[in-house]
Every structure is written in structure tokens, then in C-alpha cells.
Amino acid sequence: MTDRANLLDMGFEPARVEWALKATNNRGLQPALDHLEENAENPVPDLSSVSSTTSSAPPPYGGGDPMDEDEDLEALKAVYGDGGGGSNLGQAEAEAKSIRCSQCGKVFKNTALANYHAEKSGHDQFEESTEEIKPLTEEEKKEKLAELKTRMAEKRAKKATEEAKEAQANEQIRRRSAKDIGKLRDELKAKESLKEMERKKQEKLDEAKARARVKAQIEADRKERADKAAREKALREGVALPQEPAATPSAVAPPKPTVAGKDFPETRLQIRMANGGQPYVTTLSSDATLREVAEYLAGQTLSVDVETVDFAMHFPRKQFARSDFSKTLRELGLTPSAVLIAS
């Protein structure tokens, strides 16, 4: 075997082998080895510029004695063998061809597989092994491929089942949420309907009250017009009108049975205007004068003047003179109540 083949079998790069042989001018195996050792850290130059004169290799061992060089070559051949140096070196030093797990005994082809096994199993004790993992046969490859496909199919089926369960759970959550929202919507709608019913009921009550007020006002206006027409007719015909009862009997002080009519302390008066309108009702002291009645009436309406107003009674028919304005209600016989016509 040539020196080049021996160096390649030793594991040196082809470019470095070519550089070493050319730099040493092919003077033998030992000079090439020395060159490779000395220039292990140096980059490989362009071989066209390399010559034997630029070689950094030292001269042959023993001062260049051919006998010493032959002895060295024979020693190397004894170690590496003649024609099989690379393979004998591999036999001299056992090479690690696999990695074995000391805890379970499994053998792995490379470090990556061993690390994967360590992550999955938690094992942390490994050692190098000279056991060589044989390559799979075609039949074994087919079996492995079929097994891999089966595991992948099972994994896909399991994943599909989990996704289906998750989708079903999500659908149940969605339906439950929709049901709750629908229930809340129905409750809100029922409350709104109840409020609307109450509002309409209140509107009907308000309308009924308003109609009652309008009706009462119409009746009051009709009665007032009828009373006014009756008064005007009585005035035209000179007929005395019957005395009307008090508007609010509860407001009239009930007479005391033991007190005579002329001894009532208060007198209730209903004063009607000759030209119509709402009557004025008041309660004065029985000792109040008729002028005080005129002053009261003037304070209620601007159409009355104390100095010009006249008072009369229809029942019994009586016309009060100006001289009567200084007399008390008791003296005029107006107690305990009376109806006066002011003009």
C-alpha cells in the first residue's frame, strides 16, 4: 500500500495528505507524518505554490541516513502492517460504534437518539459500546414503516376523538349560554310587558279621573248658569229666591242647643253678586258691622266699592240702607247665617 493510502486510512484529510506528500517530496511516511503533526493547526495552502523547498518538515531522522529512515519505515510497517495500516489501526484501538443505556440496556446508534431516550425515560447513565447496530433488512424496513403508519393512524384517531369531545363540550357550553341568555331575555321581556300594562292601567285611571273632573266642571258650570238665570229672572219679576243651604255644612259651626238664636257668637254669610259669579262665603263675628262685610267683599273683588255697594236679602225680602252699615249682624237679624245679594 502506498504512503498516501496509509495516511488516508489513518483518517487524515485528502487535501492535507496531498500537501504533506508534496511538501516532503514524497520522501516517505515518517516525513509526511511529521509535516501533518507540525501543520495540524495551519490551513491548507494552494498546492500549486507548494514545493519541496518550502516544506517545513525537518530532515529525515538520523541526519538523513538512509539506513535510519529504512529502520523507521520498518517500525511503522510493523505497527500498521504492510498493505493494511488503516484497518490494523482500527483493530488496535477499539472504536465506539454505539451508545448503551446502563439502566435498561438499550443500544443507540448516535448521541441524538440517546438524548431522546434520556428525555423520555429519565435515564441518565450511558456508556460507549463497540456493538455495531446492524442496518435493517428490506423486510424489517417494511415492518417498521407499517408499524410507524399504524402508530400515526392511532395518534390521528386519538387526536380526532379528543377534538370531537372538545367540540362537543364547547357546543354544550354555547347552547347553555344561549339558553341562559334566552331565559334572561324572556324575563326582561316579561318585566317590560308588566311595566307596559301598569303604565296603560295608570293612563286609563288618569283619563277616568280627568273625565270625571271635566264632567264635574260641566255640571258645576251648568248649575251656575241655571242659578244665574234663576236669579236674573227673580230680579226681573221681583220674586224672592229661597235661601240656599251652606255649601259645606261641615264648615258651619253647629248651634249650641242652650244658646238662643240672637246669642250666636259668629255669623256665616254667603254673599252673591247681583251680576252672577261664584258666591263668597265667610264667617264673621256676630258683632261685626255690615260695613265690615262690605270691606271684606271689596277685598275679594275689585268690582265692589265699600262706599257704593248695596246689600239686600231675597228671603225674607229686605233692602239694607246706608244707615244699616253701622249696625251689627246680630242687630240686623243675620245670625246665625244669611245670604246677601251685593249690587
Side-chain angles (χ1 to χ4, degrees):
M1 179 177 282
T2 62
D3 294 338
R4 184 178 184 279
N6 287 329
L7 293 173
L8 291 176
D9 287 341
M10 292 179 189
F12 293 107
E13 297 178 3
R16 289 191 174 275
V17 171
E18 295 293 342
W19 179 25
L21 293 175
K22 188 173 183 180
T24 58
N25 199 19
N26 293 313
R27 285 182 295 169
L29 185 60
Q30 185 61 45
L33 287 172
D34 293 339
H35 182 276
L36 290 171
E37 183 179 357
E38 291 178 1
N39 296 277
E41 302 297 332
N42 299 328
V44 179
D46 185 7
L47 297 182
S48 61
S49 61
V50 176
S51 63
S52 59
T53 57
T54 61
S55 173
S56 60
Y61 284 76
D65 189 349
M67 292 296 296
D68 293 337
E69 183 178 353
D70 292 340
E71 290 178 359
D72 294 336
L73 182 59
E74 291 297 331
L76 288 172
K77 288 182 178 181
V79 174
Y80 298 112
D82 188 10
S87 59
N88 291 335
L89 180 61
Q91 295 174 0
E93 297 180 2
E95 295 181 359
K97 297 182 179 180
S98 60
I99 300 176
R100 179 188 299 274
C101 177
S102 301
Q103 294 177 256
C104 64
K106 290 185 177 181
V107 181
F108 305 97
K109 186 176 182 180
N110 51 44
T111 305
L113 295 176
N115 290 335
Y116 180 78
H117 173 72
E119 293 177 0
K120 292 295 183 180
S121 63
H123 297 171
D124 56 358
Q125 297 180 11
F126 295 88
E127 60 182 0
E128 293 182 347
S129 174
T130 58
E131 180 180 352
E132 184 178 3
I133 300 177
K134 297 180 180 180
L136 298 177
T137 63
E138 292 297 328
E139 189 66 25
E140 290 174 341
K141 289 181 180 180
K142 291 181 180 180
E143 292 178 358
K144 287 287 184 181
L145 182 59
E147 182 181 356
L148 180 60
K149 289 182 178 180
T150 302
R151 286 203 303 268
M152 291 180 65
E154 292 176 353
K155 188 175 182 180
R156 284 195 297 268
K158 183 179 179 181
K159 184 177 180 181
T161 303
E162 292 177 354
E163 290 179 352
K165 290 182 179 179
E166 184 178 357
Q168 185 177 3
N170 293 336
E171 180 65 17
Q172 291 178 355
I173 293 174
R174 187 190 65 79
R175 290 182 179 180
R176 185 162 54 250
S177 300
K179 184 177 180 181
D180 294 340
I181 293 174
K183 184 178 180 180
L184 292 176
R185 188 182 295 111
D186 293 340
E187 292 179 356
L188 182 60
K189 187 176 180 180
K191 290 181 180 179
E192 293 294 335
S193 300
L194 183 60
K195 289 182 180 179
E196 183 66 17
M197 291 175 61
E198 292 178 353
R199 185 183 64 80
K200 290 182 178 180
K201 183 178 180 181
Q202 186 63 36
E203 287 181 354
K204 290 182 179 180
L205 291 176
D206 294 341
E207 290 177 359
K209 290 180 180 179
R211 286 195 299 269
R213 287 194 298 269
V214 172
K215 186 176 180 180
Q217 185 64 38
I218 292 173
E219 291 294 333
D221 293 342
R222 184 184 295 114
K223 186 175 183 301
E224 183 180 354
R225 289 194 298 271
D227 293 343
K228 182 179 179 181
R231 286 194 302 271
E232 291 177 353
K233 182 178 180 182
L235 289 175
R236 287 194 303 270
E237 296 177 354
V239 179
L241 293 176
Q243 184 176 354
E244 296 183 2
T248 54
S250 60
V252 180
K256 297 181 180 180
T258 58
V259 179
K262 63 179 181 179
D263 294 331
F264 279 99
E266 294 180 346
T267 300
R268 185 176 184 277
L269 297 176
Q270 184 179 122
I271 306 171
R272 295 178 176 272
M273 302 300 295
N275 56 0
Q278 190 72 19
Y280 300 96
V281 179
T282 184
T283 300
L284 299 176
S285 173
S286 297
D287 295 329
T289 62
L290 190 59
R291 183 178 179 84
E292 292 180 16
V293 176
E295 291 175 352
Y296 161 77
L297 185 61
Q300 300 298 317
T301 175
L302 297 176
S303 62
V304 174
D305 187 358
V306 177
E307 302 299 332
T308 59
V309 65
D310 291 327
F311 291 105
M313 290 179 60
H314 290 307
F315 184 82
R317 187 173 182 81
K318 182 179 181 180
Q319 182 72 35
F320 295 97
R322 299 301 300 180
S323 59
D324 294 330
F325 275 54
S326 60
K327 296 179 181 180
T328 64
L329 301 179
R330 182 181 289 108
E331 293 173 345
L332 296 174
L334 299 178
T335 57
S337 63
V339 177
L340 299 178
I341 306 299
S343 60

